[in-house]
Amino acid sequence: MTATAVAPAALDAPRLARRTRAVLGWALLVVLGGVLVALAAGRPAPEDYLHPDGTGQGGTRALVQVLRQHGVTVDVVERSADAVAASGPGTTLVVGNTDLLSDTAARRLLAGTTAADRLVLLDASPTVLDALDLGLAARSAATTAGPAGCSASWVHPGDEVTRVTWEIVPTGGALPPGSEGCFPLAGGDAAGAVGYAAVELPSTGSHPALTLVGFPDAATNRFVTESAHAGLVVRLLGGSAHVVWLHADDEDLLANPSTAQEPVWPAWTGPGLVVATLALLAFAVARGRRLGRLVPEPLPVVVRAVETTESRAELYRAAADHARAAAVLRQASSRRLARRLGLAPGVDADALLAAVAAATGTDPPEVAALLHGPAPADEAALVTLARQLTHLEEKVRTP
Amino acid sequence: MALTTRAAALLLLGLVPVVLRPAASTVLAWVVLWLLAVLADLVLAASPSALRLTREDPALQVRLGEPVSASLVLENTGGRHATGLLRDAWPPSAGGSPSRHGLAVPPGERRRVTTVLTPTRRGDRSADRVTVRLAGPLGLAARQRSVEVPGRVRVLHAFPSRRHLPSRLAVLRELDGRAAVRTRGQGTEFDSLRDYVDGDDVRSIDWRATARRRHLVVRTWQPEQHRRVVLVLDTGRTSAGRVGDAPRLDAAMDAALLLTALAGHAHDRVQVVAGDRRVHARVAGSDRARLLHDVISTLAPLDAQVVETDWGVLAAEVARSTHRSLVVLLTPLEPAAVEEGLLPALPTLVAHHRVVVASVSDPLVEAMRTAREGSAEVWDAAAAERTAALREGTAEALRRLGVDVLDAPPDELPVRLADHYLALKREGLL
């Protein structure tokens, strides 16, 4: 057999390159297909409350569409920092959902957007108002408010609001100077202060013109068509040609960590931890100190005497040398039989066969086949031969 | 020095003031307070060097499998009460127990600390250092010191075949003529004349003396005495192989010890030589009680080495005496090792001495040879048959040189060797 007739075990270089190209091509196809499918599917419509792209009951997509039909550009941002960067003269900044707006983010927003036309807090919740420190607070309110009763540009006399969530009240008994409350709510608290469903604050050095809205539900897809809601919010938000709508996400929360939170751990945690660590160290030192050094053991050589024989068996088995194993077994049996029958160690085969046949009463050809027959072809034949030899020896021992 | 767990607990107790007054200064104050307490305790602890340690018996001897007590005497020469721990360190195979002792020694007094050793292996085991840890009065810190207190335990061969000695001695007495039956043969020596009693062999009547004395007189004989027996133990690599739990060398030693005891009783001069590339042990003597003790004690620390045995060296040791001797070579019948090493050295030995080769065989090989249930066993059986055939061939080669070959499992070899010796003695072949 020549070397050229044998196919090489390893792939040669051109075949390898072809196969690699094929694999890479398929991989590229799969990736491109995945990208196309993802682009076609697009992002699912968000379910968040007051989300400008939300088509559910709590979304405000209807309102945004109407604004866009009126020629207002609406940009949606998710970071307060982006909102600050996008705001400028001729811009109305709308803060929708305030769930993920931290106090730090709210303060930064207020201070950074002084150039904007107006900042509208569509959902003036108590936490945001507390954080902004405008001298105003919010509390849960009844659902309807009276007539507008203010002169703000976006309010027409006679407008009504039916879905009030927050009642905005001044903390100091009266509204800050220059500001104006709209839609006063009936009743008022124990101190007699009147609450409003919306408050207008003029721009100062520290913040732009602010509109705090306590009826966010009026902007949602579900309620925007109720009473005068649609006109109110469109006028409120459509005051400028450019609207930047901030819908803060969780990354914004991470970027602007809150400072107002109470520490969770008690004051002694730090020092206590130090003491516990030191105690643990002392414990480790106490337990780790050995009572005197380790004593070495002079170990003897450990070799099993039977190992050579076991290895020889393993060699026979690995080589599957039936002929050799059978020859060894036959020789050993012949030697023992000769000794048992009182024959000289070097007796010739025929004499041994005759003596064994006579002692056991078996046919000489049968004994000859056993002791001098052909080598067994497989393992099963070898096992049979070994058993038959044992049997023959037993027969000679106990005739 | 050493800290105690109590010191760590005390430090952890600092959590109480820290909770009451959570400040870094509280932590610092507590740690300083703790350090002062630990230092004070350390200063007030008794000095370990003031304890004088003496070993009661620096050279212990014990037979393998039996316990022995190793005692230390402590004398407190300092002025402080010494309390703490003591560890008398021995190698793991010395089986020391307990591993640590509690201590309480008042000033000026002596105490004994006893470690019970139950060795698990034959050989010499030296004591390592004795470590003393003495704690201060508060039990926060301790002073520790390790000192060498030399000591050794010699673990003797268990000599399990000694239970066969009484029966072989009875056989020897028969040969010796102390029992009623007297034997007569080539190898016996004329002892004395005495009156004939019924039952004596008529062939032993000395007719000349009978004629002189006018009544029947018989001659008595006694077996040969004062013959030389040389036992050569091979401590080379082939003796390191393990048969059962012990190396072959241990079985060979067992056989050598039984033969030494028996030959000592038969008033033969016994010499024991053990070696591989060089002679490791050499014991000779005729005082049988001393001899057996010497042989056991000298052979105890010997271990098989992973080197090829130089039979030239060992044969030269035997050939020091020109007297005809019984030379027993205790070496495994490993075909290659025997053919390369032993066979060339044998002819000169055989020319001057009666040579016996006693080999430890492996019962596992015999078990492999006869097990033929399945295919795996049959391969094993073929290999075992091959091993047996090779050993048989080697034994045959030795026999052709005029050497007696004994090949037996560890528990049979001592008896076989003793019986062979008695048979030689009976026939006067020594």
Side-chain angles (χ1 to χ4, degrees):
Chain A
M1 195 162 83
T2 57
T4 49
V6 185
L11 291 172
D12 52 2
R15 282 181 64 188
L16 197 66
R18 245 190 339 269
R19 180 167 295 184
T20 312
R21 269 204 300 279
V23 169
L24 283 179
W26 279 109
L28 201 66
L29 205 67
V30 167
V31 169
L32 280 178
V35 167
L36 284 177
V37 167
L39 284 178
R43 286 174 62 183
E47 297 292 322
D48 287 353
Y49 182 60
L50 294 184
H51 197 284
D53 292 333
T55 51
Q57 299 205 333
T60 55
R61 189 168 169 81
L63 171 63
V64 172
Q65 292 286 22
V66 170
L67 284 175
R68 284 182 177 147
Q69 281 164 16
H70 282 78
V72 179
T73 23
V74 181
D75 288 341
V76 178
V77 296
E78 291 183 331
R79 309 283 175 83
S80 48
D82 294 345
V84 169
S87 65
T91 308
T92 298
L93 190 64
V94 183
V95 179
N97 190 333
T98 52
D99 287 351
L100 292 174
L101 190 73
S102 69
D103 51 352
T104 317
R107 277 196 293 272
R108 282 181 187 166
L109 204 60
L110 205 62
T113 55
T114 44
D117 283 359
R118 181 180 294 276
L119 174 60
V120 180
L121 287 180
L122 206 52
D123 184 11
S125 63
T127 46
V128 177
L129 288 192
D130 286 350
L132 293 182
D133 195 21
L134 298 166
L136 295 167
R139 60 185 186 217
S140 296
T143 53
T144 53
C150 68
S151 61
S153 58
W154 52 280
V155 181
H156 287 184
D159 277 352
E160 273 189 8
V161 178
T162 53
R163 302 282 167 181
V164 180
T165 310
W166 308 114
E167 178 183 3
I168 300 165
V169 290
T171 48
L175 288 173
S179 57
E180 192 177 8
C182 298
F183 306 106
L185 297 172
D189 63 358
V194 179
Y196 303 93
V199 174
E200 280 270 309
L201 286 99
S203 70
T204 65
S206 59
H207 61 79
L210 259 176
T211 307
L212 309 177
V213 181
F215 45 92
D217 280 351
T220 60
N221 296 340
R222 183 178 179 189
F223 297 118
V224 75
T225 49
E226 251 184 40
S227 63
H229 292 167
L232 258 180
V233 288
V234 170
R235 283 195 297 276
L236 171 60
L237 303 185
S240 315
H242 185 205
V243 167
V244 176
W245 191 302
L246 172 65
H247 185 90
D249 62 0
D250 46 2
E251 284 182 36
D252 186 55
L253 186 64
L254 288 178
N256 300 284
S258 171
T259 53
Q261 279 180 357
E262 281 275 308
V264 179
W265 307 102
W268 53 267
T269 311
L273 217 57
V274 172
V275 169
T277 310
L278 288 176
L280 190 71
L281 270 177
F283 183 75
V285 169
R287 299 296 302 181
R289 181 81 163 103
R290 207 185 282 286
L291 192 59
R293 64 180 181 187
L294 284 178
V295 187
E297 170 77 26
L299 282 175
V301 185
V302 179
V303 189
R304 289 170 65 237
V306 78
E307 248 170 41
T308 46
T309 308
E310 284 172 351
S311 307
R312 178 175 281 135
E314 198 53 50
L315 274 180
Y316 283 174
R317 190 176 14 242
D321 197 346
H322 307 109
R324 170 76 173 161
V328 167
L329 290 172
R330 279 171 168 157
Q331 271 171 15
S333 287
S334 301
R335 206 173 51 243
R336 274 194 295 274
L337 287 169
R339 195 183 305 147
R340 195 156 296 136
L341 294 170
L343 304 173
V347 72
D348 65 278
D350 293 339
L352 177 67
L353 285 182
V356 172
T360 57
T362 30
D363 289 342
E366 209 176 305
V367 178
L370 213 50
L371 288 182
H372 302 289
D378 54 8
E379 210 166 77
L382 179 67
V383 173
T384 314
L385 175 72
R387 284 193 191 148
Q388 284 171 340
L389 285 173
T390 311
H391 189 59
L392 183 69
E393 285 184 52
E394 273 167 8
K395 257 191 179 166
V396 172
R397 203 178 303 146
T398 54
Chain B
M1 74 157 271
L3 284 180
T4 62
T5 47
R6 192 186 292 184
L10 181 68
L11 193 54
L12 192 65
L13 214 60
L15 282 178
V16 175
V18 162
V19 168
L20 295 178
R21 186 177 170 277
S25 55
T26 319
V27 177
L28 194 69
W30 184 262
V31 169
V32 167
L33 211 66
W34 178 82
L35 268 179
L36 284 177
V38 166
L39 280 177
D41 209 33
L42 204 59
V43 169
L44 290 176
S47 165
S49 49
L51 272 188
R52 189 181 298 150
L53 299 163
T54 347
R55 210 174 271 287
E56 278 201 328
D57 187 356
L60 294 162
Q61 248 186 17
V62 64
R63 182 172 280 157
L64 180 63
E66 291 171 8
V68 65
S69 295
S71 295
L72 278 171
V73 175
L74 320 167
E75 188 182 354
N76 189 352
T77 59
R80 287 181 187 153
H81 198 91
T83 48
L85 287 173
L86 179 142
R87 170 173 173 240
D88 188 8
W90 289 85
S93 69
S97 161
S99 60
R100 47 186 62 196
H101 307 266
L103 274 190
V105 191
E109 293 197 17
R110 291 154 68 95
R111 292 284 186 274
R112 179 185 285 112
V113 167
T114 304
T115 307
V116 178
L117 304 176
T118 317
T120 53
R121 276 201 297 123
R122 185 174 55 76
D124 278 358
R125 299 285 173 272
S126 298
D128 204 72
R129 292 175 177 176
V130 176
T131 306
V132 181
R133 181 184 286 182
L134 297 180
L138 296 174
L140 295 177
R143 298 168 72 175
Q144 179 170 324
R145 184 162 174 258
S146 294
V147 279
E148 297 274 2
V149 185
R152 187 206 69 184
V153 59
R154 170 156 288 180
V155 188
L156 305 176
H157 196 286
F159 192 11
S161 70
R162 67 181 184 277
R163 67 176 190 276
H164 298 297
L165 191 57
S167 62
R168 308 301 143 178
L169 284 178
V171 176
L172 186 66
R173 275 194 295 275
E174 284 174 15
L175 294 181
D176 209 9
R178 282 179 216 161
V181 181
R182 301 197 149 212
T183 56
R184 184 190 163 189
Q186 261 190 321
T188 47
E189 290 175 346
F190 174 71
D191 183 18
S192 61
L193 294 170
R194 64 164 172 77
D195 288 351
Y196 174 84
V197 293
D198 285 352
D200 278 344
D201 188 350
V202 289
R203 286 176 299 178
S204 59
I205 295 172
D206 185 340
W207 294 109
R208 191 177 301 189
T210 302
R212 219 168 25 240
R213 299 284 297 274
R214 303 286 175 99
H215 50 94
L216 288 172
V217 170
V218 291
R219 286 180 179 187
T220 61
W221 286 267
Q222 63 174 26
E224 302 163 309
Q225 286 189 351
H226 309 296
R227 293 296 186 260
R228 258 169 48 95
V229 177
V230 183
L231 297 164
V232 182
L233 275 161
D234 171 12
T235 61
R237 64 172 179 91
T238 51
S239 294
R242 292 200 163 228
V243 173
D245 276 343
R248 278 180 166 140
L249 182 64
D250 280 25
M253 276 186 191
D254 199 15
L257 291 174
L258 183 64
L259 189 55
T260 304
L262 195 57
H265 277 278
H267 302 287
D268 284 334
R269 289 183 53 81
V270 180
Q271 188 187 353
V272 178
V273 177
D276 36 72
R277 296 193 69 80
R278 59 186 187 83
V279 177
H280 292 297
R282 191 185 292 127
V283 193
S286 53
D287 178 354
R288 68 171 192 240
R290 268 263 312 285
L291 179 70
L292 185 62
H293 177 267
D294 285 355
V295 172
I296 292 187
S297 176
T298 314
L299 293 186
L302 285 188
D303 266 324
Q305 309 291 314
V306 191
V307 294
E308 194 68 47
T309 306
D310 185 348
W311 283 103
V313 171
L314 297 179
E317 190 66 24
V318 174
R320 277 182 167 191
S321 160
T322 50
H323 291 293
R324 185 173 170 80
S325 318
L326 170 66
V327 177
V328 181
L329 307 177
L330 291 146
T331 179
L333 269 184
E334 290 295 332
V338 168
E339 278 158 27
E340 296 288 323
L342 180 56
L343 276 183
L346 271 181
T348 45
L349 276 185
V350 175
H352 296 103
H353 307 285
R354 179 96 200 170
V355 180
V356 176
V357 169
S359 149
V360 182
S361 72
D362 194 341
L364 274 181
V365 174
E366 183 60 21
M368 279 167 77
R369 197 181 66 71
T370 48
R372 295 182 175 187
E373 282 77 34
S375 60
E377 282 88 351
V378 168
W379 290 118
D380 281 354
E385 291 282 20
R386 179 73 186 143
T387 303
L390 286 172
R391 281 174 86 93
E392 188 54 41
T394 310
E396 206 51 51
L398 291 174
R399 284 197 191 100
R400 273 201 296 278
L401 281 172
V403 174
D404 299 337
V405 179
L406 303 174
D407 191 15
D411 46 345
E412 281 178 33
L413 185 68
V415 182
R416 289 273 303 276
L417 184 60
D419 287 349
H420 189 75
Y421 165 79
L422 290 172
L424 288 175
K425 207 157 183 66
R426 182 179 290 126
E427 290 167 24
L429 292 175
L430 293 185

